[in-house]
Amino acid sequence: MISTEEAIAQVLALVGPLGVETVPLAEAAGRVLAEPVRAQRTQPPFASSAMDGYAVRAAEARPGMVLSVIGESAAGRRFTGALGPGEAVRIFTGAPVPEGADSILIQEDAEREGDRITVREGRDTQSYIRPAGGDFTSGTEIPAPCRITPNLMSLLAAMNIARVPVARRPVIGLLPTGDELVWPGEEPGPDQIVSSNNFGLKALLETQGAEVRLLPIARDRAEALRAALDLARGCDMLVTLGGASVGDHDLVQQVLREEGLDLAFYKIAMRPGKPLMAGRLRGMVMVGLPGNPVSSMVCGHVFLRPTVDRMLGLPAGPLPRLSAPLAVDIGSNGPREHYMRARLENGRLLPASRQDSSLLSVLADASALLVRPPHDGPRTAGERMEYIPL
Ligand SMILES: Nc1nc2c(c(=O)[nH]1)N[C@H]1C(S)=C(S)[C@@H](COP(=O)(O)OP(=O)(O)OC[C@H]3O[C@@H](n4cnc5c(N)ncnc54)[C@H](O)[C@@H]3O)O[C@H]1N2
Ligand code: MOO
């Protein structure tokens, strides 16, 4: 059995970035910017007012001074003249500051009568002028690669970048296997359960930026697995679910080897996740996840999230870990690195009392995976331990 760290490195070595496509800005959210882009304009394009009020000369806007209002500058419609001595221009937020003005007198500090304003006592003396190019200037670069967050979307739009070069999304086929499985909404037979792993993983992979193809459930027969393989044609990655262990009906490895699977590894020192396998098959990366529902999801986090990142051209490696003190004493660990379902409570890590890899209710309640090295000795409450936030 290889270590989890070694297994992550081996899976990542099987994949690379998939290439670039251009999408309209409105479709770029959540994608990965694949190439640097440059601002097509300067923002603001002119010195603009940050407040509603009057454009004035600061030296003249002293308490008690009377100024005459000679026009108006609104956002989208500027005042075309220039400001002379003793003059003010009515101005609104976002409007261009007229020539000759160097300060905004906010309207709360001006008393207006007809075309005249009087400057009030104790006026706010901030200039309230946003300089041209104060946000960004034409040619400012957004470096790549990076995820296009909602905040970055606003910036790209403001920069007038209407078409965005993004990483092609990896297409991932999810193949549930097992005679016991039915789809959600179906009526399971007396010995059957609802296939859940593919739905959890679909959500996980889509959140990470992949496009998921839900393949039909393959029954525990070689022909069924072969037929499913045909349906996976065109995928960048095939993820099989279940059938990975040593039972008589665990056929995935045997059948896929017959179909050309070049296996990189099988079995890792990880709990849950021991029977994990990975390799290459018909131009796809193949990852075989264990069937136990929590094993599937934990392996999805630990292996598939970095793999999707790599295919998107992002920096990829083991998930970042944080550390926190333990809330309780825990006994020693066995030979596999243990990813314990845990909750963070008042900043302390509390492992769930039941760690069986079939318990989805425990996983759904967890906010962290407490990671214990192989053969870790007993630990006492208060000791700091590493965890992966979920
Ligand atoms: N003698 C041994 N038995 C087992 C070993 C072992 O080393 N020696 N390893 C155990 C470990 S650890 C795991 S993990 C499981 C993995 O088994 P498989 O990958 O072969 O998975 P299945 O046998 O097909 O299913 C296991 C379990 O998970 C349920 N399952 C499967 N697919 C789904 C799905 N899509 N949605 C929901 N639940 C699913 C399935 O019904 C079983 O209950 O093997 C241990 N055994
Ligand atoms: O390793 Mo299995 O994945 O513990 O349940």
Side-chain angles (χ1 to χ4, degrees):
M1 287 198 291
I2 58 172
S3 68
T4 312
E5 201 184 349
E6 173 61 22
I8 293 169
Q10 289 204 26
V11 175
L12 289 179
L14 296 169
V15 297
L18 296 177
V20 182
E21 63 191 22
T22 302
V23 296
L25 176 65
E27 288 164 26
R31 304 290 299 265
V32 168
L33 185 69
E35 291 166 356
V37 288
R38 289 183 179 280
Q40 301 299 299
R41 50 184 287 111
T42 291
Q43 180 91 336
F46 41 75
S48 70
S49 177
M51 295 294 238
D52 299 320
Y54 297 88
V56 295
R57 298 169 178 226
E60 292 178 347
R62 287 191 302 276
M65 283 283 288
V66 177
L67 304 169
S68 58
V69 180
I70 58 163
E72 178 184 294
S73 185
R77 208 167 2 89
R78 69 170 57 213
F79 176 74
T80 47
L83 204 81
E87 290 176 344
V89 166
R90 180 76 171 121
I91 197 164
F92 301 101
T93 306
V97 175
E99 212 185 305
D102 60 6
S103 183
I104 307 299
L105 173 70
I106 64 170
Q107 71 187 52
E108 293 86 336
D109 290 343
E111 199 156 329
R112 179 146 185 181
E113 266 182 51
D115 283 346
R116 294 186 170 273
I117 52 168
T118 308
V119 180
R120 289 210 166 102
E121 266 327 301
R123 88 138 176 125
D124 184 343
T125 53
Q126 285 187 68
S127 91
Y128 291 118
I129 293 177
R130 297 173 173 150
D135 195 358
F136 53 81
T137 52
S138 183
T140 298
E141 186 182 280
I142 308 280
C146 65
R147 282 189 191 275
I148 302 176
T149 60
N151 296 345
L152 184 54
M153 279 294 284
S154 285
L155 180 60
L156 293 172
M159 289 178 161
N160 205 12
I161 297 166
R163 297 183 58 76
V164 189
V166 294
R168 180 168 79 69
R169 258 200 278 255
V171 180
I172 303 181
L174 290 179
L175 176 61
T177 69
D179 289 342
E180 76 280 28
L181 303 176
V182 300
W183 290 99
E186 286 183 340
E187 190 57 51
D191 300 332
Q192 289 189 305
I193 59 166
V194 178
S195 176
S196 55
N197 299 352
N198 44 348
F199 287 89
L201 287 163
K202 178 175 188 283
L204 181 140
L205 294 168
E206 286 175 347
T207 305
Q208 205 66 22
E211 192 180 310
V212 168
R213 216 187 272 178
L214 283 179
L215 298 171
I217 297 166
R219 300 302 170 199
D220 292 321
R221 289 189 315 277
E223 316 80 75
L225 280 170
R226 289 201 184 94
L229 250 195
D230 288 336
L231 295 173
R233 191 170 296 138
C235 288
D236 299 295
M237 172 151 85
L238 172 66
V239 179
T240 60
L241 310 171
S245 190
V246 295
D248 295 348
H249 304 284
D250 296 333
L251 301 172
V252 168
Q253 188 177 153
Q254 180 201 320
V255 173
L256 296 193
R257 270 172 180 273
E258 287 163 15
E259 294 301 316
L261 172 65
D262 182 9
L263 195 67
F265 65 85
Y266 172 51
K267 289 206 174 157
I268 59 174
M270 176 178 177
R271 181 180 168 205
K274 180 173 62 172
L276 188 88
M277 68 185 100
R280 287 204 66 92
L281 171 64
R282 298 184 183 178
M284 300 179 287
V285 196
M286 182 272 172
V287 177
L289 296 184
N292 275 325
V294 176
S295 315
S296 252
M297 286 307 288
V298 169
C299 289
H301 284 284
V302 171
F303 294 95
L304 301 185
R305 281 170 54 186
T307 307
V308 172
D309 283 351
R310 169 66 55 88
M311 290 192 280
L312 290 169
L314 292 168
L319 297 176
R321 293 180 186 181
L322 304 173
S323 76
L326 271 175
V328 291
D329 295 351
I330 50 176
S332 52
N333 187 28
R336 296 186 275 158
E337 187 173 46
H338 196 179
Y339 289 70
M340 301 180 83
R341 279 67 74 197
R343 290 182 55 78
L344 267 173
E345 286 187 359
N346 304 319
R348 300 187 145 233
L349 271 171
L350 179 66
S353 55
R354 296 186 303 153
Q355 292 289 331
D356 186 281
S357 61
S358 67
L359 302 174
L360 284 174
S361 53
V362 174
L363 178 69
D365 194 45
S367 54
L369 292 171
L370 160 56
V371 187
R372 303 200 63 191
H375 305 292
D376 192 33
R379 301 281 190 161
T380 47
E383 277 192 76
R384 285 194 91 81
M385 300 288 294
E386 289 194 334
Y387 72 92
I388 294 167
L390 287 179

